Amino acid sequence: MYNAVALSWSNVLAPPDVPADMPPIVFAMRNVLAVLAEAGTGPEYAAKLTIYLAVGVDPGVAYAATRSVWGDHRTAVTVLAVTPARPGALVEIEAVATLPDR
């Protein structure tokens, strides 16, 4: 099993190369995909996603954005509204995936 975690911040705290109109959940999902790819795996090997949203972030928007980036890969998803551990964080995503046989 491989565990990947990605964070996304409000546009005020986002890295300078992130477009201002990119939803934080999209940024975080793209980071998860990049981390999984670096480990030699991908969304097709993911068993579970846990998405932690700052209170006030619309879960409907989060689900739609997740699907737009993640695609049609059937993955268990849990979404929780939380007070972020890191001030300014809007989204944290944890992905648990297997590594493919090589």
Side-chain angles (χ1 to χ4, degrees):
M1 298 296 280
Y2 182 76
N3 195 25
V5 177
L7 290 171
S8 188
W9 296 269
S10 66
N11 288 340
V12 174
L13 300 173
D17 58 336
V18 176
D21 61 346
M22 180 183 293
I25 187 76
V26 170
F27 177 72
M29 286 302 301
R30 288 182 180 175
N31 283 344
V32 168
L33 290 175
V35 170
L36 292 174
E38 184 68 26
T41 190
E44 65 275 20
Y45 294 101
K48 182 178 187 312
L49 290 175
T50 304
I51 302 172
Y52 301 91
L53 299 175
V55 174
V57 175
D58 183 352
V61 171
Y63 274 118
T66 298
R67 184 170 173 124
S68 75
V69 176
W70 196 255
D72 290 327
H73 302 288
R74 306 288 287 176
T75 306
V77 178
T78 301
V79 177
L80 303 166
V82 299
T83 300
R86 183 169 179 167
L90 295 178
V91 179
E92 180 178 343
I93 302 172
E94 177 185 21
V96 177
T98 61
L99 297 173
D101 292 334
R102 297 181 188 202

